[in-house]
Amino acid sequence: MRVGIPQGLFYVYYYPLWKTFFTDLGVEVLSTPPSNRKIIDQGIAHAVDETCFPVKVYFGHIAELCQEEMDYLFVPRFVSVERKHYICPKFMGVPDMVRASFTKLPPLLSPLVDLSRTDKHWRKEIMKVGRHFTWRGKKIEQAYQHGMEELERFRQLTRQGYSPPEALLVWEGKKLPLPGKGDLNIGVLGHGYALYDEAISMGLIKRLREMECNVYMVEMIEKSYIESRAATLPKRVFWTLGRKIAGSALYLHQQTDIDGLIYLACFGCGPDSLIGDLVKRNMQDKPYMMLTVDEHSGEAGINTRLEAFCDMLRRRRINSESNLPTYGQLLYSLQGSVEGP
Amino acid sequence: MNCYLGIDIGSVSSNFVLIDEKGRVLLDLYMRTHGNPIRAVQEGLALLQEKVDVKELVISGVGTTGSGRYLAAVLTGADVVKNEITAHAVAAAFYYPHVRTVIEIGGQDSKMILLKNGIVYDFAMNTVCAAGTGSFLDQQAARLQIPIEQFGGLAAHAQQPVRIAGRCGVFAESDMIHKQQMGYPTEDILMGLCEALVRNYLNNVGKGKKIEEPIVFQGGVAANQGLHQAFERNLGMKINIPPYYAVMGAMGAALLAREHIENVRHSTQFKGFDFIVDSDFQTQSFECKSCPNLCEVVSIRCGDQILAYWGDRCKRWESSIKMKHSRLKVI
């Protein structure tokens, strides 16, 4: 038996769980390579015009996957992954949009992920997926348990400083060095399925590292810090990812060693337009830049903005350092007649 | 005499500035890129060569900026390659040391740069939309058959500017056509467009930014008196237009080249006027088939020698050249 998992949307958050779960049930897991030009073109051709770019790219992955023989295609229906918080409504419709857009599809496995009120249904959904491959309930439960353990191992890697795509490679057994140290500390925010997809974010993280920046991501921050900062907002952010972004932004804002924040927004993303602005209003004097991406592949725009942002941070730092009386010069000149230190 | 050359290759215009060691402008050139940055660089340098006695001047440093900065750097052997924001800020702070806000509107970009003590501390650029930039004004002027040079002057004579939608270039155009068919005078429509663009700029680029005086307005669009007036009216503040407003990016690049040569590297990599003007530069693009990304790779060559590659995401082509360069340097 073979199951196809497209490398898009929540792949970057949950792949270790899915992969382990299916493998433990004796299923071969097929996936797609990281997004590339061909996948993107196919996605744009198949997806509805009005969706955001990451959803279109996801469709491209499905088109790519459909060239292979497989028994099932795994397209979960995400509604909520925790109590009283939700995922963008587009995710709810993804399996339906997929069915409507493709003519030849293997049967879909679309468990309903809705933990907004209770996790009782979720257990049933897991069983339903597992029953396609085995009738032994215990085996299914063990596979899911094992999957959660592997997911935790993966999350541990992201906390160490690997970006999620790097952590996925390390999780699969590849040896990767931790990213090198730079002289600027920059917090990078955005929806993971956009931010960590090199084709969608135009390699934002890679570019920043090439410009000698240390990149701080939501996944690297202690969960309790994020939650406590998010709780200070006057109204609860009911999107799971949005809350994490906002909480992380508030946390990073308080850290004096973080030089600036960059928010990667997708053109046409509703949550981004709200959270991006919410973050901006709470930034006060911390440099903050919002980048909006869509289908374009021209690099001049993103390069100019990133270079200018880094230039600004470095020049600002020189300026603020020279205002500090560390060398005794400024103190002397300010006080004029007072003897130098 | 030692002097520094700044080159700004933008989407619409290509600008060249020669400054002396004190930062005085010896020569400035503003010309259209016409979609061919290589020819623009060659023509610009050929014109410079004609206008000044090159034998008397020694080019001690070259800086490039603008969206074509990498290309221009490869052709000329630039010492500094800087983004437009830093370049514009440096130039503005050179003429107005206390400047707090720089409004820069170019061909495809509009920017707002906020400075404190001569240092950029915040900036914003237009996002996905290029409404309200030079190329949109160009297009509208062409549609109305008004030379772009007269656009601002005409607009400034408006009695009662009409209301034009400023959120989107397409809506603005349909509004303009509608008003024109109703018989509103052209200058009132032009001024209405200026007002709309200013509103769009302040609400989009300047959203949430605190605009403080002194304000400097630069970039090719600063030639437009209509926009100048509209900005002053909307903000209720005085707007300064620097003497070389159209070439401030190139000016900044020249100043940065001077700073770099004086502080870091003491000799220039400039390839010389004759080499740049007389060489036959060719570009070629191809689709790299090494992986499914199918990157569009561009190569710049001069005769048999390949000067640069770019456009490949994995840098397989780009880095192959850099290695040769560094090897050459060692020898």
Side-chain angles (χ1 to χ4, degrees), chain A residues 36-38 267 280 289 304-305 307-309 311-312 315-316 319, chain B residues 69-70 82-84 86 120-121 125-126 207 256 259 292-293:
Chain A
N36 57 45
R37 200 68 237 163
K38 189 178 151 217
F267 182 62
K280 184 181 185 174
M289 178 167 69
T304 299
R305 285 163 176 83
E307 279 176 25
F309 194 70
D311 257 10
M312 172 177 83
R315 286 193 165 232
R316 250 168 93 124
N319 198 36
Chain B
R69 59 184 178 277
Y70 298 110
K82 265 289 175 221
N83 60 81
E84 303 91 291
T86 310
V120 181
Y121 87 93
M125 272 175 96
N126 55 336
K207 188 174 67 183
L256 284 162
E259 184 191 290
N293 270 324

PDB file of all heavy atoms in Angstrom, chain A residues 36-38 267 280 289 304-305 307-309 311-312 315-316 319, chain B residues 69-70 82-84 86 120-121 125-126 207 256 259 292-293:
ATOM      1  N   ASN A  36       9.115  23.681  -6.557  1.00  0.00           N
ATOM      2  CA  ASN A  36       9.965  24.209  -7.618  1.00  0.00           C
ATOM      3  C   ASN A  36       9.064  24.824  -8.689  1.00  0.00           C
ATOM      4  O   ASN A  36       7.836  24.815  -8.587  1.00  0.00           O
ATOM      5  CB  ASN A  36      10.860  23.108  -8.193  1.00  0.00           C
ATOM      6  CG  ASN A  36      10.062  21.929  -8.705  1.00  0.00           C
ATOM      7  OD1 ASN A  36       9.053  22.102  -9.389  1.00  0.00           O
ATOM      8  ND2 ASN A  36      10.499  20.720  -8.372  1.00  0.00           N
ATOM      9  N   ARG A  37       9.703  25.363  -9.702  1.00  0.00           N
ATOM     10  CA  ARG A  37       8.974  26.084 -10.751  1.00  0.00           C
ATOM     11  C   ARG A  37       7.850  25.253 -11.367  1.00  0.00           C
ATOM     12  O   ARG A  37       6.743  25.712 -11.588  1.00  0.00           O
ATOM     13  CB  ARG A  37      10.004  26.487 -11.819  1.00  0.00           C
ATOM     14  CG  ARG A  37       9.583  27.609 -12.709  1.00  0.00           C
ATOM     15  CD  ARG A  37       9.481  28.918 -11.980  1.00  0.00           C
ATOM     16  NE  ARG A  37       8.139  29.452 -12.141  1.00  0.00           N
ATOM     17  CZ  ARG A  37       7.607  30.401 -11.395  1.00  0.00           C
ATOM     18  NH1 ARG A  37       8.281  30.934 -10.425  1.00  0.00           N
ATOM     19  NH2 ARG A  37       6.386  30.808 -11.609  1.00  0.00           N
ATOM     20  N   LYS A  38       8.172  23.998 -11.657  1.00  0.00           N
ATOM     21  CA  LYS A  38       7.187  23.145 -12.326  1.00  0.00           C
ATOM     22  C   LYS A  38       5.963  22.921 -11.432  1.00  0.00           C
ATOM     23  O   LYS A  38       4.813  23.019 -11.875  1.00  0.00           O
ATOM     24  CB  LYS A  38       7.860  21.802 -12.658  1.00  0.00           C
ATOM     25  CG  LYS A  38       7.028  20.904 -13.545  1.00  0.00           C
ATOM     26  CD  LYS A  38       7.808  19.620 -13.858  1.00  0.00           C
ATOM     27  CE  LYS A  38       6.858  18.468 -14.081  1.00  0.00           C
ATOM     28  NZ  LYS A  38       7.391  17.208 -13.534  1.00  0.00           N
ATOM     29  N   PHE A 267       0.223  37.706  -0.160  1.00  0.00           N
ATOM     30  CA  PHE A 267      -0.762  38.592  -0.753  1.00  0.00           C
ATOM     31  C   PHE A 267      -2.111  37.877  -0.722  1.00  0.00           C
ATOM     32  O   PHE A 267      -2.208  36.725  -1.120  1.00  0.00           O
ATOM     33  CB  PHE A 267      -0.345  38.915  -2.189  1.00  0.00           C
ATOM     34  CG  PHE A 267      -1.268  39.854  -2.886  1.00  0.00           C
ATOM     35  CD1 PHE A 267      -1.456  41.131  -2.404  1.00  0.00           C
ATOM     36  CD2 PHE A 267      -1.952  39.463  -4.018  1.00  0.00           C
ATOM     37  CE1 PHE A 267      -2.306  42.013  -3.036  1.00  0.00           C
ATOM     38  CE2 PHE A 267      -2.810  40.341  -4.663  1.00  0.00           C
ATOM     39  CZ  PHE A 267      -2.986  41.610  -4.165  1.00  0.00           C
ATOM     40  N   LYS A 280       2.732  45.319  13.979  1.00  0.00           N
ATOM     41  CA  LYS A 280       3.331  46.620  13.692  1.00  0.00           C
ATOM     42  C   LYS A 280       2.963  47.647  14.766  1.00  0.00           C
ATOM     43  O   LYS A 280       3.801  48.413  15.219  1.00  0.00           O
ATOM     44  CB  LYS A 280       2.837  47.083  12.323  1.00  0.00           C
ATOM     45  CG  LYS A 280       3.448  48.371  11.845  1.00  0.00           C
ATOM     46  CD  LYS A 280       2.859  48.721  10.506  1.00  0.00           C
ATOM     47  CE  LYS A 280       3.534  49.934   9.928  1.00  0.00           C
ATOM     48  NZ  LYS A 280       3.044  50.176   8.572  1.00  0.00           N
ATOM     49  N   MET A 289       9.689  45.200   9.450  1.00  0.00           N
ATOM     50  CA  MET A 289       9.415  45.300   8.018  1.00  0.00           C
ATOM     51  C   MET A 289       8.470  44.185   7.609  1.00  0.00           C
ATOM     52  O   MET A 289       8.618  43.044   8.019  1.00  0.00           O
ATOM     53  CB  MET A 289      10.726  45.191   7.234  1.00  0.00           C
ATOM     54  CG  MET A 289      10.512  45.244   5.726  1.00  0.00           C
ATOM     55  SD  MET A 289      12.037  45.488   4.811  1.00  0.00           S
ATOM     56  CE  MET A 289      12.852  43.930   5.091  1.00  0.00           C
ATOM     57  N   THR A 304      16.512  44.237  -2.400  1.00  0.00           N
ATOM     58  CA  THR A 304      16.648  45.638  -2.024  1.00  0.00           C
ATOM     59  C   THR A 304      16.142  45.855  -0.606  1.00  0.00           C
ATOM     60  O   THR A 304      16.791  46.501   0.205  1.00  0.00           O
ATOM     61  CB  THR A 304      15.852  46.521  -2.994  1.00  0.00           C
ATOM     62  OG1 THR A 304      16.401  46.330  -4.298  1.00  0.00           O
ATOM     63  CG2 THR A 304      15.931  47.978  -2.623  1.00  0.00           C
ATOM     64  N   ARG A 305      14.979  45.289  -0.317  1.00  0.00           N
ATOM     65  CA  ARG A 305      14.393  45.514   1.001  1.00  0.00           C
ATOM     66  C   ARG A 305      15.243  44.885   2.110  1.00  0.00           C
ATOM     67  O   ARG A 305      15.473  45.494   3.145  1.00  0.00           O
ATOM     68  CB  ARG A 305      12.963  44.975   1.038  1.00  0.00           C
ATOM     69  CG  ARG A 305      11.995  45.881   0.289  1.00  0.00           C
ATOM     70  CD  ARG A 305      10.700  45.190  -0.033  1.00  0.00           C
ATOM     71  NE  ARG A 305       9.722  46.064  -0.664  1.00  0.00           N
ATOM     72  CZ  ARG A 305       9.696  46.350  -1.952  1.00  0.00           C
ATOM     73  NH1 ARG A 305      10.613  45.834  -2.764  1.00  0.00           N
ATOM     74  NH2 ARG A 305       8.785  47.141  -2.445  1.00  0.00           N
ATOM     75  N   GLU A 307      18.482  44.072   1.999  1.00  0.00           N
ATOM     76  CA  GLU A 307      19.772  44.761   2.114  1.00  0.00           C
ATOM     77  C   GLU A 307      19.595  46.076   2.855  1.00  0.00           C
ATOM     78  O   GLU A 307      20.383  46.419   3.735  1.00  0.00           O
ATOM     79  CB  GLU A 307      20.354  45.041   0.724  1.00  0.00           C
ATOM     80  CG  GLU A 307      21.044  43.847   0.113  1.00  0.00           C
ATOM     81  CD  GLU A 307      21.519  44.123  -1.311  1.00  0.00           C
ATOM     82  OE1 GLU A 307      21.741  45.295  -1.660  1.00  0.00           O
ATOM     83  OE2 GLU A 307      21.658  43.148  -2.066  1.00  0.00           O
ATOM     84  N   ALA A 308      18.548  46.811   2.482  1.00  0.00           N
ATOM     85  CA  ALA A 308      18.325  48.105   3.120  1.00  0.00           C
ATOM     86  C   ALA A 308      18.036  47.916   4.605  1.00  0.00           C
ATOM     87  O   ALA A 308      18.514  48.684   5.441  1.00  0.00           O
ATOM     88  CB  ALA A 308      17.168  48.834   2.450  1.00  0.00           C
ATOM     89  N   PHE A 309      17.291  46.873   4.935  1.00  0.00           N
ATOM     90  CA  PHE A 309      16.941  46.606   6.338  1.00  0.00           C
ATOM     91  C   PHE A 309      18.206  46.304   7.143  1.00  0.00           C
ATOM     92  O   PHE A 309      18.431  46.868   8.212  1.00  0.00           O
ATOM     93  CB  PHE A 309      15.962  45.433   6.396  1.00  0.00           C
ATOM     94  CG  PHE A 309      15.266  45.264   7.718  1.00  0.00           C
ATOM     95  CD1 PHE A 309      14.312  46.177   8.126  1.00  0.00           C
ATOM     96  CD2 PHE A 309      15.558  44.192   8.545  1.00  0.00           C
ATOM     97  CE1 PHE A 309      13.652  46.025   9.339  1.00  0.00           C
ATOM     98  CE2 PHE A 309      14.908  44.026   9.751  1.00  0.00           C
ATOM     99  CZ  PHE A 309      13.952  44.943  10.159  1.00  0.00           C
ATOM    100  N   ASP A 311      21.335  47.031   6.322  1.00  0.00           N
ATOM    101  CA  ASP A 311      22.149  48.250   6.336  1.00  0.00           C
ATOM    102  C   ASP A 311      21.697  49.179   7.440  1.00  0.00           C
ATOM    103  O   ASP A 311      22.498  49.715   8.190  1.00  0.00           O
ATOM    104  CB  ASP A 311      21.932  49.012   5.014  1.00  0.00           C
ATOM    105  CG  ASP A 311      23.096  48.817   4.076  1.00  0.00           C
ATOM    106  OD1 ASP A 311      23.940  47.957   4.383  1.00  0.00           O
ATOM    107  OD2 ASP A 311      23.146  49.505   3.052  1.00  0.00           O
ATOM    108  N   MET A 312      20.361  49.341   7.505  1.00  0.00           N
ATOM    109  CA  MET A 312      19.803  50.249   8.489  1.00  0.00           C
ATOM    110  C   MET A 312      20.171  49.794   9.898  1.00  0.00           C
ATOM    111  O   MET A 312      20.625  50.583  10.716  1.00  0.00           O
ATOM    112  CB  MET A 312      18.281  50.290   8.329  1.00  0.00           C
ATOM    113  CG  MET A 312      17.576  51.060   9.415  1.00  0.00           C
ATOM    114  SD  MET A 312      15.819  51.142   9.118  1.00  0.00           S
ATOM    115  CE  MET A 312      15.280  49.580   9.780  1.00  0.00           C
ATOM    116  N   ARG A 315      23.929  50.356  10.525  1.00  0.00           N
ATOM    117  CA  ARG A 315      24.284  51.774  10.672  1.00  0.00           C
ATOM    118  C   ARG A 315      23.699  52.354  11.960  1.00  0.00           C
ATOM    119  O   ARG A 315      24.319  53.184  12.607  1.00  0.00           O
ATOM    120  CB  ARG A 315      23.797  52.563   9.461  1.00  0.00           C
ATOM    121  CG  ARG A 315      24.663  52.274   8.248  1.00  0.00           C
ATOM    122  CD  ARG A 315      24.427  53.268   7.110  1.00  0.00           C
ATOM    123  NE  ARG A 315      25.502  53.148   6.157  1.00  0.00           N
ATOM    124  CZ  ARG A 315      26.224  54.171   5.709  1.00  0.00           C
ATOM    125  NH1 ARG A 315      25.964  55.380   6.120  1.00  0.00           N
ATOM    126  NH2 ARG A 315      27.194  53.975   4.854  1.00  0.00           N
ATOM    127  N   ARG A 316      22.489  51.908  12.297  1.00  0.00           N
ATOM    128  CA  ARG A 316      21.873  52.352  13.541  1.00  0.00           C
ATOM    129  C   ARG A 316      22.720  51.960  14.732  1.00  0.00           C
ATOM    130  O   ARG A 316      22.873  52.705  15.677  1.00  0.00           O
ATOM    131  CB  ARG A 316      20.513  51.654  13.697  1.00  0.00           C
ATOM    132  CG  ARG A 316      19.327  52.538  13.533  1.00  0.00           C
ATOM    133  CD  ARG A 316      18.121  51.697  13.427  1.00  0.00           C
ATOM    134  NE  ARG A 316      17.503  51.505  14.731  1.00  0.00           N
ATOM    135  CZ  ARG A 316      16.226  51.826  14.996  1.00  0.00           C
ATOM    136  NH1 ARG A 316      15.474  52.337  14.069  1.00  0.00           N
ATOM    137  NH2 ARG A 316      15.715  51.612  16.169  1.00  0.00           N
ATOM    138  N   ASN A 319      25.659  54.073  15.128  1.00  0.00           N
ATOM    139  CA  ASN A 319      25.211  55.355  15.639  1.00  0.00           C
ATOM    140  C   ASN A 319      24.937  55.299  17.136  1.00  0.00           C
ATOM    141  O   ASN A 319      25.378  56.147  17.897  1.00  0.00           O
ATOM    142  CB  ASN A 319      23.948  55.762  14.893  1.00  0.00           C
ATOM    143  CG  ASN A 319      23.653  57.230  15.036  1.00  0.00           C
ATOM    144  OD1 ASN A 319      24.590  58.019  15.076  1.00  0.00           O
ATOM    145  ND2 ASN A 319      22.393  57.584  15.126  1.00  0.00           N
TER     146      ASN A 319
ATOM    147  N   ARG B  69      21.770  47.415 -10.248  1.00  0.00           N
ATOM    148  CA  ARG B  69      23.080  47.693  -9.662  1.00  0.00           C
ATOM    149  C   ARG B  69      24.086  46.576  -9.853  1.00  0.00           C
ATOM    150  O   ARG B  69      25.270  46.829 -10.045  1.00  0.00           O
ATOM    151  CB  ARG B  69      22.938  48.029  -8.180  1.00  0.00           C
ATOM    152  CG  ARG B  69      22.299  46.952  -7.305  1.00  0.00           C
ATOM    153  CD  ARG B  69      22.127  47.470  -5.871  1.00  0.00           C
ATOM    154  NE  ARG B  69      21.476  46.529  -4.978  1.00  0.00           N
ATOM    155  CZ  ARG B  69      20.167  46.367  -4.873  1.00  0.00           C
ATOM    156  NH1 ARG B  69      19.360  47.061  -5.634  1.00  0.00           N
ATOM    157  NH2 ARG B  69      19.663  45.497  -4.008  1.00  0.00           N
ATOM    158  N   TYR B  70      23.604  45.313  -9.830  1.00  0.00           N
ATOM    159  CA  TYR B  70      24.558  44.205  -9.969  1.00  0.00           C
ATOM    160  C   TYR B  70      25.119  44.168 -11.381  1.00  0.00           C
ATOM    161  O   TYR B  70      26.306  43.969 -11.596  1.00  0.00           O
ATOM    162  CB  TYR B  70      23.887  42.871  -9.632  1.00  0.00           C
ATOM    163  CG  TYR B  70      23.393  42.809  -8.218  1.00  0.00           C
ATOM    164  CD1 TYR B  70      22.032  42.820  -7.928  1.00  0.00           C
ATOM    165  CD2 TYR B  70      24.294  42.771  -7.158  1.00  0.00           C
ATOM    166  CE1 TYR B  70      21.577  42.788  -6.628  1.00  0.00           C
ATOM    167  CE2 TYR B  70      23.852  42.745  -5.854  1.00  0.00           C
ATOM    168  CZ  TYR B  70      22.485  42.745  -5.587  1.00  0.00           C
ATOM    169  OH  TYR B  70      22.040  42.728  -4.297  1.00  0.00           O
ATOM    170  N   LYS B  82      25.220  49.196  -3.656  1.00  0.00           N
ATOM    171  CA  LYS B  82      24.316  49.469  -2.533  1.00  0.00           C
ATOM    172  C   LYS B  82      22.871  49.557  -2.981  1.00  0.00           C
ATOM    173  O   LYS B  82      22.580  49.979  -4.093  1.00  0.00           O
ATOM    174  CB  LYS B  82      24.695  50.810  -1.892  1.00  0.00           C
ATOM    175  CG  LYS B  82      25.627  50.677  -0.706  1.00  0.00           C
ATOM    176  CD  LYS B  82      24.959  50.095   0.511  1.00  0.00           C
ATOM    177  CE  LYS B  82      26.017  49.898   1.574  1.00  0.00           C
ATOM    178  NZ  LYS B  82      26.015  48.745   2.347  1.00  0.00           N
ATOM    179  N   ASN B  83      21.973  49.178  -2.071  1.00  0.00           N
ATOM    180  CA  ASN B  83      20.545  49.301  -2.364  1.00  0.00           C
ATOM    181  C   ASN B  83      20.150  50.771  -2.436  1.00  0.00           C
ATOM    182  O   ASN B  83      20.817  51.643  -1.908  1.00  0.00           O
ATOM    183  CB  ASN B  83      19.753  48.577  -1.287  1.00  0.00           C
ATOM    184  CG  ASN B  83      20.018  49.174   0.066  1.00  0.00           C
ATOM    185  OD1 ASN B  83      19.437  50.185   0.423  1.00  0.00           O
ATOM    186  ND2 ASN B  83      20.942  48.584   0.806  1.00  0.00           N
ATOM    187  N   GLU B  84      19.001  51.030  -3.066  1.00  0.00           N
ATOM    188  CA  GLU B  84      18.582  52.402  -3.326  1.00  0.00           C
ATOM    189  C   GLU B  84      18.265  53.174  -2.050  1.00  0.00           C
ATOM    190  O   GLU B  84      18.447  54.386  -1.991  1.00  0.00           O
ATOM    191  CB  GLU B  84      17.304  52.416  -4.179  1.00  0.00           C
ATOM    192  CG  GLU B  84      17.386  51.696  -5.493  1.00  0.00           C
ATOM    193  CD  GLU B  84      16.965  50.243  -5.385  1.00  0.00           C
ATOM    194  OE1 GLU B  84      17.737  49.489  -4.737  1.00  0.00           O
ATOM    195  OE2 GLU B  84      15.929  49.847  -5.905  1.00  0.00           O
ATOM    196  N   THR B  86      19.570  53.018   1.064  1.00  0.00           N
ATOM    197  CA  THR B  86      20.756  53.572   1.703  1.00  0.00           C
ATOM    198  C   THR B  86      21.330  54.697   0.857  1.00  0.00           C
ATOM    199  O   THR B  86      21.695  55.755   1.375  1.00  0.00           O
ATOM    200  CB  THR B  86      21.795  52.463   1.918  1.00  0.00           C
ATOM    201  OG1 THR B  86      21.162  51.354   2.543  1.00  0.00           O
ATOM    202  CG2 THR B  86      22.935  52.926   2.778  1.00  0.00           C
ATOM    203  N   VAL B 120      19.478  56.169   8.784  1.00  0.00           N
ATOM    204  CA  VAL B 120      18.151  55.623   8.518  1.00  0.00           C
ATOM    205  C   VAL B 120      17.668  54.893   9.760  1.00  0.00           C
ATOM    206  O   VAL B 120      18.389  54.046  10.282  1.00  0.00           O
ATOM    207  CB  VAL B 120      18.201  54.623   7.348  1.00  0.00           C
ATOM    208  CG1 VAL B 120      16.811  54.071   7.061  1.00  0.00           C
ATOM    209  CG2 VAL B 120      18.771  55.263   6.107  1.00  0.00           C
ATOM    210  N   TYR B 121      16.512  55.233  10.281  1.00  0.00           N
ATOM    211  CA  TYR B 121      16.008  54.415  11.375  1.00  0.00           C
ATOM    212  C   TYR B 121      14.691  53.737  11.050  1.00  0.00           C
ATOM    213  O   TYR B 121      14.236  52.869  11.774  1.00  0.00           O
ATOM    214  CB  TYR B 121      15.974  55.179  12.697  1.00  0.00           C
ATOM    215  CG  TYR B 121      14.735  55.985  12.972  1.00  0.00           C
ATOM    216  CD1 TYR B 121      13.671  55.447  13.683  1.00  0.00           C
ATOM    217  CD2 TYR B 121      14.638  57.278  12.500  1.00  0.00           C
ATOM    218  CE1 TYR B 121      12.529  56.192  13.918  1.00  0.00           C
ATOM    219  CE2 TYR B 121      13.507  58.024  12.734  1.00  0.00           C
ATOM    220  CZ  TYR B 121      12.455  57.486  13.445  1.00  0.00           C
ATOM    221  OH  TYR B 121      11.329  58.225  13.676  1.00  0.00           O
ATOM    222  N   MET B 125       8.579  50.815   1.666  1.00  0.00           N
ATOM    223  CA  MET B 125       8.492  50.839   0.213  1.00  0.00           C
ATOM    224  C   MET B 125       7.097  50.409  -0.181  1.00  0.00           C
ATOM    225  O   MET B 125       6.432  49.711   0.571  1.00  0.00           O
ATOM    226  CB  MET B 125       9.496  49.854  -0.386  1.00  0.00           C
ATOM    227  CG  MET B 125      10.861  50.437  -0.621  1.00  0.00           C
ATOM    228  SD  MET B 125      11.990  49.179  -1.177  1.00  0.00           S
ATOM    229  CE  MET B 125      11.910  49.415  -2.939  1.00  0.00           C
ATOM    230  N   ASN B 126       6.678  50.797  -1.385  1.00  0.00           N
ATOM    231  CA  ASN B 126       5.380  50.326  -1.853  1.00  0.00           C
ATOM    232  C   ASN B 126       5.396  48.799  -1.896  1.00  0.00           C
ATOM    233  O   ASN B 126       6.433  48.202  -2.168  1.00  0.00           O
ATOM    234  CB  ASN B 126       5.033  50.921  -3.223  1.00  0.00           C
ATOM    235  CG  ASN B 126       6.092  50.673  -4.261  1.00  0.00           C
ATOM    236  OD1 ASN B 126       7.253  50.456  -3.924  1.00  0.00           O
ATOM    237  ND2 ASN B 126       5.720  50.688  -5.507  1.00  0.00           N
ATOM    238  N   LYS B 207       1.968  54.628   5.836  1.00  0.00           N
ATOM    239  CA  LYS B 207       0.993  54.195   6.837  1.00  0.00           C
ATOM    240  C   LYS B 207       1.652  54.035   8.205  1.00  0.00           C
ATOM    241  O   LYS B 207       2.614  53.281   8.336  1.00  0.00           O
ATOM    242  CB  LYS B 207       0.357  52.881   6.396  1.00  0.00           C
ATOM    243  CG  LYS B 207      -0.803  52.470   7.286  1.00  0.00           C
ATOM    244  CD  LYS B 207      -1.516  51.244   6.735  1.00  0.00           C
ATOM    245  CE  LYS B 207      -0.627  50.035   6.783  1.00  0.00           C
ATOM    246  NZ  LYS B 207      -1.238  48.852   6.207  1.00  0.00           N
ATOM    247  N   LEU B 256      28.948  56.965  -1.272  1.00  0.00           N
ATOM    248  CA  LEU B 256      29.289  55.700  -0.606  1.00  0.00           C
ATOM    249  C   LEU B 256      30.597  55.144  -1.151  1.00  0.00           C
ATOM    250  O   LEU B 256      31.397  54.571  -0.406  1.00  0.00           O
ATOM    251  CB  LEU B 256      28.155  54.690  -0.790  1.00  0.00           C
ATOM    252  CG  LEU B 256      26.933  54.941   0.092  1.00  0.00           C
ATOM    253  CD1 LEU B 256      25.721  54.196  -0.433  1.00  0.00           C
ATOM    254  CD2 LEU B 256      27.219  54.519   1.533  1.00  0.00           C
ATOM    255  N   GLU B 259      33.301  57.049   0.540  1.00  0.00           N
ATOM    256  CA  GLU B 259      33.467  56.571   1.917  1.00  0.00           C
ATOM    257  C   GLU B 259      34.227  55.254   1.943  1.00  0.00           C
ATOM    258  O   GLU B 259      35.145  55.065   2.741  1.00  0.00           O
ATOM    259  CB  GLU B 259      32.069  56.392   2.531  1.00  0.00           C
ATOM    260  CG  GLU B 259      32.037  55.993   3.979  1.00  0.00           C
ATOM    261  CD  GLU B 259      30.619  55.582   4.416  1.00  0.00           C
ATOM    262  OE1 GLU B 259      29.757  56.467   4.489  1.00  0.00           O
ATOM    263  OE2 GLU B 259      30.393  54.381   4.666  1.00  0.00           O
ATOM    264  N   PRO B 292      14.388  20.371 -11.153  1.00  0.00           N
ATOM    265  CA  PRO B 292      13.059  20.791 -11.619  1.00  0.00           C
ATOM    266  C   PRO B 292      12.742  22.266 -11.361  1.00  0.00           C
ATOM    267  O   PRO B 292      11.679  22.731 -11.745  1.00  0.00           O
ATOM    268  CB  PRO B 292      12.096  19.898 -10.822  1.00  0.00           C
ATOM    269  CG  PRO B 292      12.910  18.942 -10.070  1.00  0.00           C
ATOM    270  CD  PRO B 292      14.312  19.406 -10.047  1.00  0.00           C
ATOM    271  N   ASN B 293      13.639  22.996 -10.719  1.00  0.00           N
ATOM    272  CA  ASN B 293      13.374  24.411 -10.505  1.00  0.00           C
ATOM    273  C   ASN B 293      13.365  25.198 -11.799  1.00  0.00           C
ATOM    274  O   ASN B 293      12.744  26.250 -11.879  1.00  0.00           O
ATOM    275  CB  ASN B 293      14.429  25.005  -9.583  1.00  0.00           C
ATOM    276  CG  ASN B 293      14.023  24.902  -8.143  1.00  0.00           C
ATOM    277  OD1 ASN B 293      12.844  25.037  -7.833  1.00  0.00           O
ATOM    278  ND2 ASN B 293      14.969  24.647  -7.280  1.00  0.00           N
TER     279      ASN B 293
END
